[in-house]
Amino acid sequence: MNLEELQKIVYEAGIVGAGGAGFPTHRKFSENVEQIVVNAAECEPLMMVDHHILECHLRELVETLNLLCDVMNAKEAIIGIKGKNMHLLDANIVASLSGTRVKIKEIPDIYPAGDEVVLTYETTGKIIPEGAIPVMVGVMVINVETVFNIYKAVNESMPVIEKYVTIGGDVPRDITVKAPVGMKLSALLAAAGYSDLKDKAVINGGPMMGKLVDLENDVVTKTTKGLLVFPKTHSIIQRIKMPVNIAIKRSSAACCGCTMCSDICPRYLLGYNLEVHKTVRAAGHGEVKDTEAFLQNALCCGCGVCSVIACQQEILPSKVSMEIKGLLGKHGLRRQNNIQPEHVRPERASRLVSSNKLIDRLGIRRYVKDKVEKVDTVFNPDTVYIELRQHVGKPASAVVKPGDKVSRGQVVAATDYKDLGTCMHASIDGTVQTVTDRFVIIGK
């Protein structure tokens, strides 16, 4: 198999970054890749999807990584996993990897270990230049579930029609399930036994970077990784719900200029010129002439360390920073003076945020269970809503119309191969009921 053939298989299978970013995976493949880094950090607390895949399917992951190395002529593949989770890996398989191209790299139990800039440094020692992508230093970063999806596409001709999802938080039992893409989140939670959500809110993703769920309209997508339930009054929910204009008002009234938001920023500590306190000041005081204070936000990953760990005034610098980053992208504004950091800042080692510290600061220690069970529940929704935008880039366009009979795994929407996008597939057998700007709706 050559590079072009693999790209075609992955595109037709609709594979995107399953960790949450949703970047079309076939567009990551390149002959410039020297090292493949697998993100097995399971970065945010309460998430367990990657843990279960590593525990049950390590052999398939290794086989796929060898294929990727062959196709891209990469010299090695590195699975970056926190040392505390090494027990999940089959010891015999790990031992068999000695002297091969596939390596296991233990990384520290820190947040955000899954940020591609942090992960690349922890696994390879390379620092990605400001404003660049990993391939600029010869690295491709890929999520555990994404690798497993490639295995299924290559070996079983299986497109992405199911998604592993962790359900946890303020619930009696944390579980990981495999749900059909397009199933309504409310139906999934109810079918899994979590129908009593009175006075509770649900977020899609981890407690740091997750988004509030609209239970009436949101569905399982290729990037849905976790559904976490918290009381509506919990600080996590209140932080997510705070309007950005309130954060800006707080910055003008409450910021004491301590610079801790910058001092503890994971990317600043890797040598980036990302000084969040300057953004907070410029936004809060209308210092529009300080353009660098705004343009530097293109370097922000939105991890939230500055808001949850650093700031004592509840200003939420990351919310301000990500709002500005979004506006920069919308208006096509780019930072021109990016640099290549030569080394990490000397204070980095003493300022890393441990997962335990993050759990306590978030106030979720009570929700950390001893065990998250993998449940093999079979879900049979009568209707699925296949989102046309489940990825970075151009939305898919429907290739079916109302009344068409479709089979499970059949392409129902696609982005043209030359554009940045991918394919969408029916996750059940049925009939196309409706095609909207957002969904292809299929009913049994």
Side-chain angles (χ1 to χ4, degrees):
M1 183 183 299
N2 60 35
L3 179 59
E4 186 176 342
E5 290 169 336
L6 180 60
Q7 287 176 317
K8 194 75 171 178
I9 290 171
V10 170
Y11 161 77
E12 291 176 349
I15 299 174
V16 301
F23 192 87
T25 302
H26 69 283
R27 296 292 289 267
K28 279 192 170 186
F29 298 159
S30 167
E31 293 177 344
N32 295 321
V33 172
E34 300 172 354
Q35 296 167 293
I36 300 167
V37 172
V38 181
N39 182 356
E42 203 76 272
C43 190
E44 294 212 40
L46 308 180
M47 298 286 99
M48 286 295 293
V49 164
D50 294 343
H51 287 177
H52 289 306
I53 295 175
L54 285 164
E55 191 171 19
C56 301
H57 301 289
L58 180 59
R59 193 173 300 281
E60 292 92 329
L61 298 178
V62 171
E63 180 182 325
T64 306
L65 291 173
N66 276 310
L67 171 65
L68 294 177
C69 284
D70 287 340
V71 170
M72 290 184 281
N73 199 28
K75 67 179 183 180
E76 63 180 355
I78 305 169
I79 300 175
I81 182 171
K82 294 178 179 178
K84 68 175 185 179
N85 295 324
M86 283 293 293
H87 68 280
L88 298 169
L89 306 182
D90 185 304
N92 292 326
I93 297 176
V94 173
S96 72
L97 297 178
S98 178
T100 71
R101 293 176 300 182
V102 180
K103 298 174 173 56
I104 308 295
K105 172 70 174 179
E106 294 186 35
I107 60 175
D109 185 18
I110 58 172
Y111 177 84
D115 170 38
E116 66 179 12
V117 177
V118 175
L119 183 66
T120 296
Y121 176 73
E122 293 293 346
T123 53
T124 71
K126 296 177 179 178
I127 304 175
I128 299 170
E130 293 179 353
I133 55 178
V135 75
M136 299 298 290
V137 292
V139 173
M140 181 182 80
V141 178
I142 189 168
N143 174 263
V144 166
E145 189 174 2
T146 307
V147 178
F148 189 45
N149 285 337
I150 295 172
Y151 173 85
K152 291 187 288 185
V154 171
N155 295 278
E156 302 169 8
S157 300
M158 175 66 72
V160 182
I161 55 176
E162 295 178 317
K163 183 70 180 71
Y164 287 91
V165 182
T166 295
I167 303 174
D170 189 20
V171 293
R173 182 180 64 145
D174 287 13
I175 61 173
T176 292
V177 298
K178 187 165 62 176
V181 170
M183 187 176 186
K184 277 204 169 183
L185 296 184
S186 56
L188 171 60
L189 289 166
Y194 304 95
S195 55
D196 183 12
L197 298 176
K198 183 181 179 182
D199 298 324
K200 294 180 181 178
V202 181
I203 61 174
N204 181 352
M208 291 293 282
M209 299 178 70
K211 310 295 183 186
L212 277 176
V213 163
D214 176 356
L215 286 173
E216 295 302 315
N217 298 297
D218 288 352
V219 303
V220 176
T221 71
K222 299 175 185 183
T223 60
T224 304
K225 189 163 184 174
L227 299 175
L228 300 183
V229 181
F230 296 108
K232 289 181 178 178
T233 55
H234 197 282
S235 60
I236 290 173
I237 304 301
Q238 296 305 307
R239 172 169 52 84
I240 294 172
K241 291 173 67 175
M242 182 189 289
V244 68
N245 65 308
I246 299 299
I248 292 173
K249 286 181 179 178
R250 284 188 177 182
S251 68
S252 64
C255 179
C256 64
C258 69
T259 76
M260 276 300 296
C261 53
S262 298
D263 295 341
I264 206 168
C265 169
R267 291 194 171 185
Y268 171 81
L269 292 173
L270 282 173
Y272 278 33
N273 288 308
L274 176 56
E275 298 177 291
V276 190
H277 70 280
K278 292 183 177 180
T279 295
V280 171
R281 177 175 178 83
H285 296 275
E287 296 177 357
V288 294
K289 291 184 179 181
D290 184 5
T291 56
E292 176 61 18
F294 295 99
L295 291 171
Q296 66 168 347
N297 290 284
L299 306 177
C300 177
C301 70
C303 69
V305 166
C306 55
S307 295
V308 174
I309 301 295
C311 185
Q312 305 304 305
Q313 306 288 14
E314 298 185 359
I315 291 172
L316 306 187
S318 59
K319 186 177 284 284
V320 177
S321 187
M322 289 302 287
E323 175 72 9
I324 294 170
K325 181 176 180 177
L327 290 171
L328 291 173
K330 181 179 178 180
H331 294 285
L333 299 172
R334 295 180 178 274
R335 186 171 181 264
Q336 301 299 322
N337 55 331
N338 291 321
I339 65 164
Q340 166 68 72
E342 295 181 3
H343 49 74
V344 302
R345 299 188 190 275
E347 63 270 25
R348 180 176 187 265
S350 64
R351 293 183 182 175
L352 296 175
V353 177
S354 71
S355 294
N356 274 326
K357 181 175 183 178
L358 183 66
I359 287 168
D360 288 334
R361 185 62 64 88
L362 286 168
I364 58 173
R365 177 67 63 183
R366 75 189 88 168
Y367 304 132
V368 179
K369 311 295 195 303
D370 291 334
K371 181 174 179 58
V372 176
E373 184 181 356
K374 184 176 179 292
V375 179
D376 295 321
T377 303
V378 177
F379 298 97
N380 292 300
D382 291 328
T383 307
V384 292
Y385 303 75
I386 308 300
E387 288 240 24
L388 299 176
R389 183 187 286 277
Q390 301 184 44
H391 55 273
V392 171
K394 186 177 180 180
S397 298
V399 297
V400 292
K401 60 184 185 300
D404 286 352
K405 301 287 186 181
V406 294
S407 301
R408 185 173 182 266
Q410 179 179 331
V411 175
V412 296
T415 307
D416 194 281
Y417 188 67
K418 70 178 186 299
D419 295 321
L420 183 62
T422 192
C423 299
M424 307 298 168
H425 305 77
S427 56
I428 61 172
D429 296 329
T431 303
V432 177
Q433 296 180 341
T434 309
V435 176
T436 71
D437 290 341
R438 182 179 177 186
F439 297 116
V440 173
I441 303 174
I442 303 168
K444 286 187 176 179

